[in-house]
Amino acid sequence: MTPDVVTIADKLALFQDHWNPRIIGRYNGNELRVAKVEGDFTWHAHAETDELFLVLQGELGIEFRDGVRRLKPGELIVVPKGTEHRPFADAECHILLIDREGEPNTGLNPSERTRATLEAI
């Protein structure tokens, strides 16, 4: 079977809301997720898995307990498992995330931003 080509921009055009990741692919027990973000997310950590953030458009900040990292388009960061972090964006930002399949978007810290089930698009 020949796999489908995924156009990330087309997937991002399907929604407008913020902090609600959508699954655009799966591989080796991981999910490729895209999201539009703006404002502050919640402090959280993922106990048993790393989390990758890749900025596609805009700028993303990630606050850690000991500092802040700022990412521009084409830059990525891998947050090690167990590391508390809080993503934020001063203006709308488009990101690609890689998380373990089924991993809650808020990890160990449920909040009003937790999505019980992520939509696959």
Side-chain angles (χ1 to χ4, degrees):
M1 180 172 97
T2 304
D4 292 332
V5 172
V6 175
T7 304
I8 295 172
D10 290 350
K11 297 296 186 179
L12 284 162
L14 295 174
F15 62 93
Q16 297 303 317
D17 57 335
H18 297 133
W19 302 112
N20 187 6
R22 272 41 174 226
I23 300 166
I24 62 168
R26 292 182 170 85
Y27 78 99
N28 296 332
N30 293 298
E31 293 173 344
L32 300 172
R33 303 171 179 182
V34 291
K36 293 179 180 178
V37 300
E38 186 173 6
D40 296 335
F41 199 61
T42 56
W43 280 100
H44 68 286
H46 301 270
E48 297 179 11
T49 184
D50 301 335
E51 183 175 30
L52 181 142
F53 293 83
L54 169 64
V55 175
L56 304 168
Q57 178 183 319
E59 293 188 15
L60 179 71
I62 302 181
E63 186 175 4
F64 296 93
R65 294 297 181 184
D66 62 352
V68 174
R69 295 288 183 259
R70 295 186 182 274
L71 294 90
K72 295 179 181 175
E75 295 181 330
L76 67 84
I77 191 169
V78 177
V79 178
K81 65 182 177 183
T83 302
E84 283 188 293
H85 58 290
R86 185 186 66 83
F88 64 92
D90 296 330
E92 186 172 271
C93 176
H94 299 177
I95 59 175
L96 174 80
L97 303 126
I98 299 178
D99 274 313
R100 179 177 61 183
E101 194 168 345
E103 180 71 15
N105 65 319
T106 54
L108 299 170
N109 309 87
S111 74
E112 70 282 353
R113 299 255 192 216
T114 302
R115 301 292 184 243
T117 305
L118 298 182
E119 178 185 4
I121 58 174

